[in-house]
Amino acid sequence: MCQSSGLHPYARAHAPDKRVIRKRLSGLSSSSSPRASSPSFLMALTVLFFLYYLSSTALSASIITHLPGFQGPLPFYLETGYVSVDEENGVELFYYFIESERNPSEDPLLLWLTGGPGCSAFSGLVFEIGPLKFVTAEYNGSLPNLVYHPYSWTKVANVIFLDSPVGTGFSFSRKPKGYAVGDISSSMQVYKFLRKWFVDHARFLSNSLYISGDSYAGKVVPVIAKAISEDIEADQQSSLNLKGYLIGNPVTGLKIDMNARVPYAHGVGIISDALYELIQKNCEGEDYENPVRAKCVTKLDAFHKFYSEIHAGYILDPKCTRASPKPEDMIGDRRSLEELELHSPPPHPALKCRTYAYFLSYYWANSNVTRKALHIKKGTVREWQRCNDDLGYIKDIPNNINYHLSLTSKGYRALIYSGDHDLMIPFLGTQAWISSLNFSVVDEWRSWHVGGQVAGYTTTYSNNLTFATVKGAGHTAPEYKPEECLAMLQRWISSRLL
């Protein structure tokens, strides 16, 4: 089913040889020559200690050749593993790594984070950009089935799907204190993850690196990218080949993220002209999520009534039960799957609902057969959730606009895309904050095409920033328009116009 010997063959080929490092450390430390106190000697000694430390804290990785519910061997390279990012509290981040199905040695490497905060990277893998998807069939107690997804981004890129922040997916902390993270600390843990991951995957160091994610991850992606860029600029031996970042239906933390819901809802006919004008009149300058003036509160209450009737993630879909456990959704009966007790199964949506596949993912990921196949450490995560809404997560970055400005002004490439049927984070808000950067337009607003049809609209700005809408897509875009989003990615990473 899989190989699990600590390090996979690629890692063993490229990881530092601890025996060689120990021998050199021993020789250096016993040296009595005058050069033993020279700056160059001390630098060499420091580097060797650093390499030995990294080799001693290398990730635990397993190559997965088969998965429960998938017929036959996987037609792609899959590796899973853990990387320790907080030794004091025992925090380990879990990841899925899938090599490019085209040219792993030359294709870009994407680090992918799913939003929430608290949604598993597996959600991004199986519902958005990865090479697997669930067969939507009525759940009967047996393990849900998986099939190959032909429009995976792994067609043209290597992708690390990372469960971050800790408490997401199969990432865990051995001490409760380790779960107390926020925008800043979790971003630094992701950067630490990358540095350690590359120790055992040195053959990917020369590949172009892009930090990527969607929804709430769109807020922290630029934070992580900026931390990497600062180390590159400081010449702190950062060998990461960072080229840029890409974010979909992204959160920034600005008021416009949510405030844009009102003009978007008006534009698509969800609210009337009269209500829209009253909100504009009574709520000027207000944060629509936390209004202060009484008249504004009243008008926004009327708006939220209409909003609550719509499936905000994709306004054309029926409004269905949300298939991620929340405290208020917990039910009294306990179900078991392969002897694993499940205390918080999600509500059962109708089979016609898109969320039904989310429902299936809960039972697939919580099967002991699946956990064994993925090499999940026993006793670390009692119950996998697609989105963990109970994280004690601190939103300690008010907004990330300065991070965008810093990265793009330094020449790092950025792709920002939005599904145009998303009412949660409407593209109107994304357009507004991009415009606030005051970059000049290089390529005017125009349509882009896939298969001879309009796939969306795009404009390119100075400083290597591209914005695109994906026609007919929701929150998030690849889940609704996978073929178009793969074409978008392929063109962008090839530095072509969309």
Side-chain angles (χ1 to χ4, degrees):
M1 294 288 287
C2 66
Q3 301 174 29
S4 180
S5 55
L7 299 180
H8 60 73
Y10 293 132
R12 289 194 294 273
H14 295 278
D17 189 323
K18 285 192 278 189
R19 292 173 298 177
V20 173
I21 295 172
R22 279 199 299 267
K23 183 176 180 180
R24 293 195 63 184
L25 282 172
S26 176
L28 285 169
S29 60
S30 63
S31 174
S32 59
S33 65
R35 70 184 181 92
S37 59
S38 69
S40 60
F41 172 83
L42 293 175
M43 177 62 76
L45 189 62
T46 300
V47 169
L48 283 171
F49 270 119
F50 178 66
L51 287 173
Y52 183 75
Y53 165 76
L54 287 177
S55 64
S56 299
T57 58
L59 58 88
S60 58
S62 303
I63 298 173
I64 313 300
T65 60
H66 293 74
L67 280 177
F70 188 90
Q71 296 298 314
L74 296 176
F76 51 84
Y77 174 95
L78 170 65
E79 169 191 313
T80 65
Y82 294 87
V83 173
S84 174
V85 294
D86 177 358
E87 289 74 18
E88 180 181 350
N89 291 299
V91 174
E92 297 186 29
L93 298 185
F94 184 77
Y95 71 92
Y96 310 78
F97 171 57
I98 300 176
E99 285 189 356
S100 171
E101 298 171 58
R102 185 176 64 174
N103 188 345
S105 63
E106 295 184 9
D107 285 340
L109 173 66
L110 272 57
L111 172 72
W112 179 267
L113 304 173
T114 307
C119 291
S120 171
F122 183 70
S123 185
L125 190 162
V126 81
F127 298 122
E128 298 183 56
I129 68 166
L132 293 171
K133 62 180 181 179
F134 281 101
V135 175
T136 303
E138 190 72 43
Y139 178 65
N140 59 8
S142 62
L143 202 66
N145 290 318
L146 292 163
V147 292
Y148 181 70
H149 177 42
Y151 299 116
S152 170
W153 288 14
T154 57
K155 288 286 187 182
V156 296
N158 305 285
V159 184
I160 305 169
F161 296 89
L162 180 63
D163 277 344
S164 174
V166 58
T168 296
F170 287 119
S171 292
F172 69 91
S173 173
R174 297 191 184 278
K175 296 181 180 179
K177 185 179 177 183
Y179 291 105
V181 297
D183 293 332
I184 296 173
S185 55
S186 67
S187 296
M188 295 309 100
Q189 287 184 347
V190 171
Y191 183 21
K192 185 173 184 178
F193 165 89
L194 270 177
R195 295 198 306 271
K196 284 189 163 186
W197 187 88
F198 272 114
V199 169
D200 289 324
H201 299 81
R203 70 192 191 97
F204 291 104
L205 277 169
S206 61
N207 296 56
S208 296
L209 172 66
Y210 292 95
I211 312 301
S212 57
D214 55 21
S215 193
Y216 194 87
K219 186 182 181 186
V220 297
V221 160
V223 179
I224 299 162
K226 188 171 185 291
I228 298 171
S229 72
E230 287 174 345
D231 275 2
I232 292 172
E233 292 162 19
D235 194 28
Q236 294 183 0
Q237 298 181 344
S238 177
S239 53
L240 276 61
N241 189 21
L242 180 68
K243 295 298 183 183
Y245 63 100
L246 55 152
I247 49 178
N249 302 73
V251 169
T252 65
L254 292 171
K255 290 189 297 184
I256 193 62
D257 291 346
M258 307 302 176
N259 285 16
R261 292 173 175 177
V262 170
Y264 181 88
H266 175 243
V268 297
I270 294 173
I271 62 172
S272 67
D273 290 345
L275 179 56
Y276 173 69
E277 290 165 4
L278 285 170
I279 292 174
Q280 293 294 97
K281 177 182 177 182
N282 293 290
C283 299
E284 184 177 359
E286 291 264 26
D287 178 351
Y288 290 5
E289 287 296 286
N290 299 287
V292 175
R293 299 193 293 273
K295 287 185 177 180
C296 179
V297 172
T298 300
K299 301 309 174 187
L300 287 175
D301 283 346
F303 166 76
H304 287 130
K305 180 180 182 299
F306 289 104
Y307 182 89
S308 67
E309 296 173 338
I310 299 292
H311 175 52
Y314 186 65
I315 62 173
L316 301 183
D317 266 359
K319 186 173 174 63
C320 294
T321 300
R322 186 179 188 272
S324 288
K326 297 187 67 151
E328 59 266 30
D329 296 329
M330 292 177 67
I331 60 177
D333 66 312
R334 295 183 177 184
R335 304 180 190 181
S336 64
L337 187 67
E338 300 296 336
E339 301 176 354
L340 187 70
E341 281 197 336
L342 306 180
H343 297 264
S344 308
H348 194 302
L351 185 62
K352 67 178 181 179
C353 295
R354 188 179 301 272
T355 54
Y356 198 87
Y358 304 168
F359 171 78
L360 294 176
S361 70
Y362 174 83
Y363 290 100
W364 185 86
N366 280 310
S367 163
N368 275 334
V369 173
T370 298
R371 290 187 175 215
K372 183 177 180 180
L374 293 175
H375 284 256
I376 304 304
K377 295 185 178 181
K378 290 184 178 179
T380 56
V381 175
R382 186 191 71 174
E383 197 163 8
W384 181 93
Q385 299 177 15
R386 191 184 73 87
C387 292
N388 181 359
D389 296 319
D390 297 326
L391 292 179
Y393 188 87
I394 304 167
K395 298 178 180 180
D396 49 12
I397 295 178
N399 69 76
N400 64 8
I401 293 302
N402 286 336
Y403 293 88
H404 286 291
L405 190 61
S406 173
L407 287 163
T408 51
S409 296
K410 292 172 183 175
Y412 289 102
R413 304 180 67 225
L415 171 63
I416 302 165
Y417 60 92
S418 294
D420 66 5
H421 280 59
D422 176 16
L423 180 56
M424 292 177 67
I425 307 293
F427 74 90
L428 292 176
T430 305
Q431 280 183 303
W433 68 255
I434 291 175
S435 295
S436 75
L437 300 175
N438 292 319
F439 293 162
S440 58
V441 174
V442 175
D443 184 29
E444 293 285 350
W445 184 266
R446 62 172 177 81
S447 55
W448 60 281
H449 301 79
V450 174
Q453 298 294 322
V454 173
Y457 299 87
T458 182
T459 187
T460 304
Y461 298 85
S462 58
N463 299 326
N464 296 312
L465 189 151
T466 297
F467 172 69
T469 64
V470 182
K471 186 170 75 73
H475 188 97
T476 58
E479 184 173 358
Y480 299 84
K481 293 291 180 179
E483 181 180 4
E484 291 81 354
C485 286
L486 174 58
M488 175 185 67
L489 173 76
Q490 186 168 5
R491 294 170 194 175
W492 184 76
I493 61 174
S494 302
S495 298
R496 294 155 47 200
L497 293 175
L498 299 189

